[in-house]
Amino acid sequence: AAAEAAARCAAEGGDVADAAAAAGEAASAALDRTPQQLDVLAKAGVVDSGGRGLLVLLDAMTATLAGHVPRRPVYTPASPQAALAATELAATQAPPQFEVMYLLTGCGAPAVEGLRAALEQMGESVAIAASGGDQYSVHVH
């Protein structure tokens, strides 16, 4: 969500400070949805810690580039009752059927795109990121 917002901002002529702020706003909205996306977060009544860390970095970048700090809610664990209600809500949603993560090496960009197309036929969420040289990180739900 953050990357898409930053790219959209840049495409509309925004500068790097605008793009950082747009990424932060999108990341904040996505972070707020994380308890509904993972049962373990709903049960604990918390948001995703990695997503929260990314938001901290984006807000620090915005503060550095734009000179102001975005206002964010205080993220504290929910009460047990709220966590239970969130868990009951999450229980009505279908859980992912599988998750696969691995590193891929020795594969050129055209083959990676072919792999991506094949995986998108099987998974609901596919992420393939270059991690240096001819190495790729593959994550599929």
Side-chain angles (χ1 to χ4, degrees):
E4 289 173 0
R8 191 169 39 255
C9 180
E12 294 171 356
D15 63 14
V16 69
D18 295 332
E25 291 304 316
S28 178
L31 181 64
D32 289 342
R33 293 188 301 271
T34 61
Q36 289 77 45
Q37 296 169 337
L38 292 172
D39 288 342
V40 68
L41 298 178
K43 288 177 186 172
V46 297
V47 295
D48 180 73
S49 61
R52 180 65 179 112
L54 175 62
L55 182 56
V56 168
L57 292 173
L58 291 169
D59 284 349
M61 186 169 30
T62 299
T64 301
L65 295 169
H68 69 277
V69 178
R71 299 191 86 154
R72 302 284 180 222
V74 175
Y75 293 99
T76 57
S79 68
Q81 294 83 9
L84 180 59
T87 301
E88 290 170 358
L89 173 66
T92 63
Q93 299 170 350
Q97 299 300 310
F98 65 91
E99 177 178 23
V100 178
M101 297 181 288
Y102 61 93
L103 291 176
L104 175 66
T105 59
C107 190
V112 169
E113 291 311 311
L115 173 64
R116 181 187 316 273
L119 291 174
E120 286 176 345
Q121 296 300 312
M122 295 182 271
E124 294 177 357
S125 174
V126 175
I128 301 177
S131 58
D134 69 341
Q135 189 172 37
Y136 298 86
S137 175
V138 181
H139 192 157
V140 182
H141 286 258

